[in-house]
Amino acid sequence: MRVLVTGGAGYIGSHTCVALCEHDFEPIVFDNFCNSSPEAVRRVESIVGRRIPVIEGDMRDREALLDVLERHAIEAVVHFAALKAVGESLSCPLEYFDNNITGTITLLQAMQAKAVHRLVFSSSATVYGGAETIPATEDSPLSVTNPYGRTKLVMEQLIADVCAADAGFAAMILRYFNPVGAHPSGQMGEDPKGIPNNLMPYIAQVAVGRRDKLRIFGNDWPTPDGTGIRDFIHVMDLAHAHVAALRGLPRQAGATMLNIGTGKGTSVLELVRAFEMASGRNVPFEFVGRRPGDIAELWADPSLAQEVLGWRAEYDIERMCEDTWRWQSAYPDGYA
Ligand SMILES: NC(=O)c1ccc[n+]([C@@H]2O[C@H](COP(=O)([O-])OP(=O)(O)OC[C@H]3O[C@@H](n4cnc5c(N)ncnc54)[C@H](O)[C@@H]3O)[C@@H](O)[C@H]2O)c1
């Protein structure tokens, strides 16, 4: 099956391209490289031993999308392309709404025009906002606390409405918890531009000597060690969830929301300690105040994904840290 992978040069997209190739899908990458490097796709090619078509283009360019859907006879789309930094979304909300929502509308219009009716979409546990129920199930109350989260919720609803209006259209909406880790080869991993927004790349950059110390936001949360608890999931487990979702789409009608997590919570301090063990390096840290909008703890109930897709996470925290360190220590400056 030929699959258009929007944002396929990004962190999760590039790892998913590896998994797709290994399961006989043909990924075609569409990316404007606003937060990624073409080198990531070259690494995918070297791991899978196959050439991957790459189209440099923007999600808001309808003609470019129509052209790629037709020219490559695309049968399904995995839609990763989005801006994703919560803090940045607070200072430039319009950019986030335009990039993420206009980009998704343009994609859906192009898919309709070219009769491509299968979509896997990257959503986020951020749609559970204040996390009123833990573990979060797909029926937990939805709320958002920042413009990035709002774009994810609007995109989910847009896709569900398109599926409701067009019986032929089917979508898997995957709500990722906290993706971390790297390809086991150490050739690919997360390579954020500038200061990392996420915890794991920050820890890895401290361990490798690129940054002095980690700042941990709050040690007075109502959790056993006072730091926040999240559901970290290995990026290759996540990549395999996309393979399972593409395989499951023909059996599914409408839009199906699925939690993609491990179902286990790990605290920030536990992750730091696991990383120190895996890397043999110290990770100096300091506690600073809580960030507005943060929550004490959140992890997934991933049982629906197992039921619908036959998928579940395989890798543990130790493996997530080992694979991250293999990548970060081999490539301290990422793909640069
Ligand atoms: N990484 C996480 O912690 C996380 C958690 C939950 C959900 N998600 C979602 O998963 C998806 C992928 O995340 P990621 O971590 O791989 O991010 P990423 O920034 O590494 O990848 C996103 C890719 O999309 C591309 N892109 C962005 N806007 C584009 C546009 N208008 N046109 C073409 N390409 C564009 C970027 O260049 C990048 O290659 C995003 O939708 C993100 O919101 C990520």
Side-chain angles (χ1 to χ4, degrees):
M1 186 193 277
R2 283 174 299 278
V3 181
L4 181 66
V5 184
T6 77
Y11 170 47
I12 305 169
S14 56
H15 289 77
T16 300
C17 284
V18 173
L20 290 175
C21 291
E22 285 168 349
H23 292 85
D24 294 329
F25 290 88
E26 284 180 46
I28 288 98
V29 168
F30 187 93
D31 204 302
N32 66 0
F33 303 114
C34 68
N35 196 39
S36 56
S37 157
E39 177 62 21
V41 185
R42 285 194 280 274
R43 300 282 172 97
V44 176
E45 292 178 327
S46 104
I47 288 168
V48 301
R50 189 204 293 184
R51 210 189 129 272
I52 299 189
V54 181
I55 291 92
E56 182 168 358
D58 192 286
M59 293 306 299
R60 292 157 291 186
D61 183 344
R62 187 175 145 92
E63 292 309 313
L65 286 171
L66 288 169
D67 182 63
V68 67
L69 290 174
E70 181 162 321
R71 203 151 36 92
H72 290 274
I74 298 294
E75 294 159 275
V77 178
V78 184
H79 180 31
F80 293 105
L83 299 176
K84 61 160 188 178
V86 169
E88 190 183 58
S89 79
L90 287 161
S91 44
C92 7
L94 284 175
E95 211 177 300
Y96 271 66
F97 277 92
D98 183 36
N99 192 79
N100 295 0
I101 297 176
T102 310
T104 301
I105 293 174
T106 312
L107 173 67
L108 292 168
Q109 287 171 332
M111 289 174 69
Q112 274 193 332
K114 296 293 173 192
V116 178
H117 288 141
R118 291 179 190 170
L119 176 67
V120 179
F121 174 67
S122 302
S123 190
S124 166
T126 195
V127 299
Y128 296 121
E132 285 164 41
T133 50
I134 298 173
T137 67
E138 289 77 359
D139 296 330
S140 294
L142 302 180
S143 68
V144 284
T145 55
N146 55 71
Y148 164 69
R150 242 180 303 285
T151 68
K152 285 286 159 194
L153 201 51
V154 170
M155 290 186 282
E156 280 200 358
Q157 289 163 347
L158 260 173
I159 293 165
D161 284 344
V162 169
C163 290
D166 180 347
F169 210 106
M172 295 280 187
I173 294 180
L174 306 185
R175 292 178 178 155
Y176 312 156
F177 278 65
N178 297 77
V180 297
H183 189 266
S185 66
Q187 293 300 303
M188 299 170 52
E190 187 167 8
D191 181 23
K193 289 193 174 164
I195 300 170
N197 293 298
N198 289 343
L199 178 61
M200 185 68 118
Y202 211 112
I203 293 176
Q205 290 191 8
V206 171
V208 86
R210 269 176 71 179
R211 301 194 184 273
D212 292 355
K213 60 182 168 200
L214 173 71
R215 290 189 310 151
I216 297 179
F217 300 104
N219 60 348
D220 55 355
W221 293 103
T223 60
D225 67 20
T227 64
I229 294 181
R230 295 291 181 273
D231 185 340
F232 299 99
I233 175 162
H234 195 294
V235 68
M236 291 313 298
D237 273 333
L238 191 51
H240 289 122
H242 293 79
V243 171
L246 283 167
R247 287 186 170 152
L249 268 175
R251 298 191 299 271
Q252 215 66 22
T256 308
M257 282 67 167
L258 296 172
N259 284 343
I260 305 295
T262 63
K264 292 190 196 79
T266 301
S267 77
V268 173
L269 272 184
E270 285 169 338
L271 187 67
V272 170
R273 298 302 177 214
F275 201 90
E276 288 183 326
M277 285 292 287
S279 63
R281 299 280 179 101
N282 277 335
V283 178
F285 63 82
E286 64 174 342
F287 290 116
V288 296
R290 297 177 181 187
R291 286 179 302 191
D294 267 357
I295 51 174
E297 52 187 8
L298 181 62
W299 58 90
D301 175 347
S303 52
L304 189 61
Q306 171 142 29
E307 194 183 303
V308 173
L309 304 179
W311 169 91
R312 71 184 161 79
E314 305 278 343
Y315 295 118
D316 58 16
I317 284 287
E318 286 68 32
R319 183 63 191 269
M320 298 178 211
C321 293
E322 284 163 17
D323 288 342
T324 304
W325 181 240
R326 197 171 299 112
W327 149 253
Q328 191 72 72
S329 53
Y331 298 96
D333 296 317
Y335 293 117

